[in-house]
Amino acid sequence: MSKFLSYYNLFPIPDPKEFLGLASDREKGNVVTTLARNVVVVLNISTQKQLLSWSLPEKLSTKVIYDPSSQHYVGVFGNHSLRLWDAGTADVSKCKKLKFQKSIAHLVETDQEALVLYSDGVCQTLSQALASRKDQKEDTAEQLALVASKALSKPTVYTMPQGQQVLTYFEETKATGVLQLIRLSLATSTRREYIIERESVRLTGYAVVEGDTAPQMLTIWSDKRIFMLNLAERTSERSPGQYVSMLADLNVEKKLSVHGVSRNFAAIYGANYGQEGASLLVYNTQFKVVNAKQYFKMYLEFSRLWARDEHILLAMGQNIAAVRYRMSSEILVDMLGSQSSDTQMNTIELDHINEEDTLESAIKFAGSKKHRQSYAKLQANLKMLPPLEMSEADGRKVAYDPPELFEEEMSELIKQHVHGELIECENGLDDVSVTLMTNYFDEGPMNTAVQALVRQLERSGAGEEEIIEKILTLFIKTKNTEHVLMCLRRYSNISEKMLAWSLRYALDNTPNPTRINGHSTEEPMETDQTNDELLNAVLACSFDPSAIEPHLQERLQISHVQYLLNHLYVLASEPSAQLEERPNREASLVQTESQALQWFGTLLTSHFTVLTISKDEQVLDSLTKWSDLLAFYRDSLTDMAALLPQLTKIVEMRETRSMYSTAWYGIEEVVLY
């Protein structure tokens, strides 16, 4: 599951026609931007600051990249010469110009050493290209004709599971418009070509995306169909591959920009279908669904995509936009909503699907020959067993065990082995069914109406965010606290917007909420863990601090923040206070303390201004207690720093030496006079 967290303009583009592309820098979080054919700028994506810039003497023919092996920036000038320079170079024109007889189409960035891709499809490492450049004897006229006849684009290096590396790029013949994908093995120089074409339809977007076992070619066509082609070493699949899904969100009549952002994820930019503006989508190639969407007010024909770490950079029009995103680990549940199984179906739900389902299943099962034979054999074996001497429950000497006690004991027994609950089906085929759950504390819906609603949404393929958006809004507005708690425990992928709303609801329903700034003369309420089950369930949920801060600022008032500061202080300082276990977090003192500190830091950031100017004594007392606790942490780290060398020796299994020398020595008293 992926989420778009923030969007902002990074840098202007003087002329879109002169923009050559983006590349990784030597430091994480920076990007090398070739804004024009003679302007190169190094930017920091997070701070939006310009770190380095160069005005080049000649026009570049491809984007500038950083080579980790030589620790130099490399640029191609006029397709036939290279220049290398480092970060401290002020004037690039003073760097030596290295000429090549062969035409250079692209420089390909890798984690080890940059690659040089020539226009004829031959690929070499940068060091090999520099060493063999004087041995090149190609004809200049043929090289110029080659550049004019073919265009190479999107070169990328992928590492296969066995360790070998392959280079993929697209080659377009300008005269005929034929596009083909080239797959080149860097170890064996084995070359495979895939012609990309379909009858009566037009190609609107294409890219190579990293897969689980091998890279895959993703193509989008004018009939809205998406095709995937596996580029494994031993595959007989033909281009364009297999049809996987339809793209209904974007207008495929206009050009689409496609780029592989990470394993099994591709970013797609294009015009909206049936409305104005444009959208940036994240498409999951494993489950074939659209994962996240970012809207734009205007669609621009010129667009380029690039991704690194947690940012997608989109060059459109005369601006470079940065979109921060996050990948979640709960992939299948988040996107497909596959939380239901056959054991979750009860009689009421069967009536919605097929009124005669129970009757038909019972007749079919009871009328089978195998069933009658098994039943007769079972009866014969039971007659051979000796009778068991058991005292019957009479309510006096032998107490009756209520069915609720049996169900509770069975549920606890199941939870020791699997996450599950015991459900009794009065009219079902079996007396008891076991439903698998992801959360120990998920007791399910409290009534049949909510149960039918929730499970119908889950079966329809809705993701967790969509389900939460619909039913949690309903339960909060109707003040249904039990089902709000059920939603928080049942689903793990809760959006920051709904989590902030749930936190406000939990605080509003807390007994005797604290009022400050002169509105109450009562003493600050001490938090009681037994009365804060809903609040603790909210605080146990995972969240992204930067994404939830604006929602907390909108939802929470200073009175809510003051109560939360006291409550979080108890969670962080009291050993008996623990948050409940979640599917992605175990119940422990360390996890509770870490979660409380994360919430505390988020509240300080979201309400920093209000807390700074507040003169209320209760707020100041809460902040003072937190200051003392953080000072205790700081002093504890200082004390533990002295143990670090000793712990390092223990981990590295080295012998510890005494702080005093073990050499023998003696002391003698000498009388000089």
Side-chain angles (χ1 to χ4, degrees):
M1 180 68 182
S2 62
K3 298 180 182 178
F4 286 139
L5 302 179
S6 59
Y7 159 77
Y8 51 89
N9 289 326
L10 185 62
F11 208 78
I13 301 176
D15 186 1
K17 296 181 180 179
E18 297 291 315
F19 180 77
L20 293 180
L22 306 164
S24 302
D25 191 32
R26 58 177 180 172
E27 295 183 4
K28 185 178 179 180
N30 297 347
V31 57
V32 182
T33 309
T34 310
L35 291 175
R37 293 190 177 272
N38 59 347
V39 177
V40 180
V41 178
V42 178
L43 305 171
N44 184 275
I45 302 176
S46 300
T47 62
Q48 308 175 38
K49 291 184 178 179
Q50 176 179 320
L51 305 179
L52 299 169
S53 64
W54 296 279
S55 180
L56 306 180
E58 303 174 58
K59 287 191 175 182
L60 294 161
S61 56
T62 184
K63 67 180 182 181
V64 173
I65 69 169
Y66 179 77
D67 177 35
S69 178
S70 62
Q71 298 183 358
H72 282 76
Y73 296 93
V74 189
V76 182
F77 299 87
N79 294 106
H80 287 275
S81 60
L82 291 179
R83 275 195 170 98
L84 286 79
W85 68 93
D86 57 17
T89 302
D91 189 1
V92 181
S93 61
K94 295 181 180 180
C95 298
K96 185 178 180 180
K97 188 176 182 180
L98 307 173
K99 295 184 178 181
F100 286 75
Q101 197 68 24
K102 296 180 66 173
S103 174
I104 301 175
H106 285 281
L107 294 173
V108 186
E109 54 181 336
T110 67
D111 295 334
Q112 288 80 29
E113 184 178 8
L115 302 178
V116 178
L117 177 62
Y118 297 101
S119 299
D120 58 359
V122 178
C123 183
Q124 291 180 315
T125 62
L126 180 61
S127 58
Q128 292 174 347
L130 295 177
S132 62
R133 65 186 181 89
K134 295 183 179 180
D135 300 331
Q136 298 175 358
K137 305 296 182 183
E138 280 72 16
D139 183 68
T140 304
E142 293 180 356
Q143 293 296 310
L144 293 175
L146 187 62
V147 174
S149 62
K150 293 184 178 181
L152 309 186
S153 62
K154 299 185 178 181
T156 312
V157 175
Y158 297 94
T159 302
M160 306 295 284
Q162 293 77 18
Q164 67 271 28
Q165 291 186 323
V166 295
L167 170 68
T168 63
Y169 62 91
F170 294 91
E171 181 181 277
E172 181 183 5
T173 304
K174 297 181 180 180
T176 61
V178 176
L179 182 69
Q180 59 181 354
L181 172 69
I182 309 298
R183 180 190 182 280
L184 180 65
S185 174
L186 298 180
T188 62
S189 299
T190 304
R191 178 186 175 100
R192 298 180 65 177
E193 300 178 356
Y194 302 89
I195 298 179
I196 308 172
E197 60 181 1
R198 288 178 60 211
E199 294 183 2
S200 304
V201 290
R202 179 174 52 86
L203 182 66
T204 59
Y206 54 90
V208 176
V209 183
E210 183 181 2
D212 291 329
T213 58
Q216 297 175 314
M217 181 182 69
L218 182 146
T219 53
I220 306 174
W221 302 82
S222 57
D223 58 355
K224 300 184 181 181
R225 295 178 182 267
I226 300 178
F227 283 75
M228 298 287 296
L229 175 65
N230 194 342
L231 302 178
E233 186 70 29
R234 298 178 181 179
T235 178
S236 57
E237 194 174 353
R238 299 180 59 184
S239 177
Q242 296 182 354
Y243 161 69
V244 293
S245 65
M246 301 282 288
L247 182 63
D249 301 84
L250 301 178
N251 185 0
V252 294
E253 295 298 328
K254 296 184 179 181
K255 182 181 177 182
L256 302 177
S257 293
V258 187
H259 183 78
V261 297
S262 63
R263 176 172 294 183
N264 297 324
F265 287 94
I268 307 173
Y269 170 81
N272 290 329
Y273 181 77
Q275 58 180 335
E276 296 182 355
S279 293
L280 174 65
L281 311 178
V282 172
Y283 180 80
N284 186 284
T285 59
Q286 184 180 9
F287 301 109
K288 283 76 180 176
V289 292
V290 174
N291 226 186
K293 185 182 296 185
Q294 172 71 46
Y295 293 98
F296 300 94
K297 294 183 179 180
M298 185 181 299
Y299 169 73
L300 301 170
E301 289 286 344
F302 170 79
S303 60
R304 300 272 186 87
L305 283 170
W306 185 81
R308 190 70 174 183
D309 299 326
E310 58 179 10
H311 288 89
I312 298 176
L313 299 189
L314 172 60
M316 55 179 180
Q318 294 185 336
N319 277 295
I320 300 177
V323 182
R324 184 166 172 253
Y325 69 101
R326 181 185 66 184
M327 294 296 179
S328 176
S329 58
E330 296 86 0
I331 299 176
L332 184 60
V333 170
D334 296 345
M335 293 185 299
L336 300 184
S338 58
Q339 307 147 30
S340 61
S341 65
D342 294 337
T343 58
Q344 287 180 316
M345 300 180 66
N346 58 21
T347 311
I348 295 177
E349 293 171 315
L350 288 172
D351 292 339
H352 287 287
I353 300 171
N354 183 0
E355 294 180 353
E356 299 180 355
D357 183 86
T358 304
L359 179 60
E360 291 175 358
S361 300
I363 293 174
K364 183 178 179 180
F365 177 76
S368 63
K369 183 178 179 181
K370 183 178 180 181
H371 164 66
R372 292 195 298 268
Q373 293 176 353
S374 301
Y375 181 76
K377 186 177 180 180
L378 178 61
Q379 289 289 342
N381 291 334
L382 288 176
K383 292 180 179 179
M384 298 174 59
L385 294 175
L388 298 176
E389 295 181 1
M390 297 180 61
S391 300
E392 296 183 0
D394 54 6
R396 296 177 180 178
K397 296 181 179 180
V398 181
Y400 293 108
D401 286 338
E404 292 79 12
L405 178 60
F406 170 75
E407 293 177 5
E408 182 180 353
E409 293 177 352
M410 285 296 296
S411 293
E412 292 300 326
L413 183 62
I414 292 172
K415 290 175 183 179
Q416 294 178 10
H417 301 86
V418 296
H419 302 295
E421 64 181 2
L422 198 68
I423 300 177
E424 183 178 352
C425 302
E426 296 180 358
N427 301 321
L429 299 179
D430 300 321
D431 293 335
V432 173
S433 66
V434 176
T435 301
L436 296 182
M437 297 293 174
T438 58
N439 193 333
Y440 282 157
F441 304 98
D442 180 14
E443 299 179 356
M446 304 302 173
N447 58 63
T448 54
V450 176
Q451 184 181 23
L453 173 64
V454 170
R455 293 181 178 174
Q456 188 65 27
L457 286 172
E458 292 175 353
R459 285 197 187 90
S460 66
E464 288 197 352
E465 281 200 15
E466 182 181 353
I467 297 175
I468 283 292
E469 191 80 21
K470 292 180 179 179
I471 63 175
L472 193 55
T473 301
L474 174 64
F475 295 148
I476 291 178
K477 288 185 176 180
T478 57
K479 297 183 179 180
N480 193 331
T481 304
E482 292 183 348
H483 284 102
V484 171
L485 182 60
M486 181 272 295
C487 291
L488 295 173
R489 288 173 170 175
R490 188 178 188 87
Y491 305 107
S492 57
N493 187 44
I494 304 173
S495 65
E496 280 73 12
K497 174 184 175 182
M498 299 305 301
L499 193 61
W501 195 5
S502 302
L503 181 60
R504 171 62 184 268
Y505 177 80
L507 291 171
D508 288 341
N509 286 272
T510 300
N512 301 323
T514 305
R515 294 181 180 271
I516 60 173
N517 294 329
H519 294 288
S520 176
T521 57
E522 297 177 356
E523 294 294 326
M525 191 189 72
E526 294 294 335
T527 59
D528 185 359
Q529 297 299 310
T530 59
N531 296 329
D532 295 316
E533 185 179 13
L534 178 60
L535 179 59
N536 287 338
V538 177
L539 296 177
C541 297
S542 59
F543 64 95
D544 184 86
S546 60
I548 202 174
E549 285 168 5
H551 300 294
L552 292 178
Q553 191 174 10
E554 177 186 357
R555 291 284 182 185
L556 301 186
Q557 300 176 2
I558 184 62
S559 58
H560 302 113
V561 175
Q562 195 271 336
Y563 182 84
L564 270 179
L565 290 178
N566 288 337
H567 187 81
L568 293 172
Y569 179 80
V570 174
L571 292 176
S573 58
E574 292 292 335
S576 60
Q578 285 191 28
L579 294 176
E580 65 183 35
E581 182 177 352
R582 299 282 297 178
N584 56 353
R585 186 187 59 80
E586 62 181 7
S588 65
L589 291 175
V590 176
Q591 294 289 346
T592 300
E593 192 173 358
S594 175
Q595 190 79 353
L597 289 173
Q598 188 178 20
W599 275 106
F600 173 69
T602 305
L603 286 174
L604 285 185
T605 307
S606 62
H607 291 76
F608 179 78
T609 304
V610 179
L611 292 173
T612 303
I613 64 177
S614 176
K615 296 182 180 179
D616 189 88
E617 294 182 359
Q618 297 180 15
V619 175
L620 296 178
D621 291 343
S622 300
L623 294 177
T624 302
K625 290 191 298 183
W626 272 103
S627 177
D628 296 339
L629 181 61
L630 295 177
F632 170 75
Y633 288 147
R634 181 195 59 203
D635 297 339
S636 299
L637 291 175
T638 304
D639 296 337
M640 293 184 66
L643 295 176
L644 182 60
Q646 189 74 9
L647 294 175
T648 304
K649 291 181 179 180
I650 295 175
V651 172
E652 296 178 354
M653 293 185 292
R654 292 187 296 171
E655 294 184 1
T656 58
R657 297 181 179 178
S658 174
M659 58 184 299
Y660 301 103
S661 175
T662 57
W664 291 98
Y665 62 93
I667 300 176
E668 295 182 1
E669 183 178 353
V670 179
V671 179
L672 298 178
Y673 302 102

